[in-house]
Amino acid sequence: MQQLREDKDADRHEFQFSATQFPVGDNQHPVICGTCGETFYADRQMHERTARSIDEGLDNPFECDDCRDETEELAHRDQ
Ligand SMILES: [Zn+2]
């Protein structure tokens, strides 16, 4: 049971968005919000995922908390 609970926490942590406006802790890699164009700092994993998508000509997958909140709000309003 202990193992199960740890796995669940790990999954949730991976989904947790943790970019910050300033370099803090693991967040030492600049990423640019695809919606507002502001620069944020993310960990290496997030930075690499964002850079790879842009290299492949895909949309910037990174969206800051503010923009994401707004997107979710808009989605709610449409329903
Ligand atoms: Zn943004």
Side-chain angles (χ1 to χ4, degrees):
M1 281 317 252
Q2 180 70 20
Q3 186 62 39
L4 270 177
R5 203 176 303 147
E6 277 174 15
D7 284 351
K8 223 191 246 171
D9 282 352
D11 280 352
R12 197 166 47 214
H13 183 73
E14 217 178 322
F15 270 89
Q16 220 166 41
F17 179 70
S18 60
T20 51
Q21 276 187 290
F22 301 97
V24 187
D26 288 340
N27 294 352
Q28 300 290 334
H29 306 269
V31 290
I32 293 171
C33 173
T35 302
C36 69
E38 295 280 338
T39 301
F40 291 84
Y41 292 86
D43 61 15
R44 197 162 55 91
Q45 201 182 5
M46 170 76 84
H47 173 75
E48 280 175 1
R49 205 194 319 168
T50 305
R52 196 163 46 224
S53 291
I54 292 168
D55 278 354
E56 287 171 359
L58 302 171
D59 282 345
N60 183 349
F62 173 74
E63 198 171 41
C64 71
D65 274 345
D66 281 354
C67 291
R68 206 172 47 163
D69 283 352
E70 224 161 276
T71 304
E72 274 170 18
E73 228 169 82
L74 284 175
H76 261 297
R77 225 174 288 164
D78 280 349
Q79 279 166 4

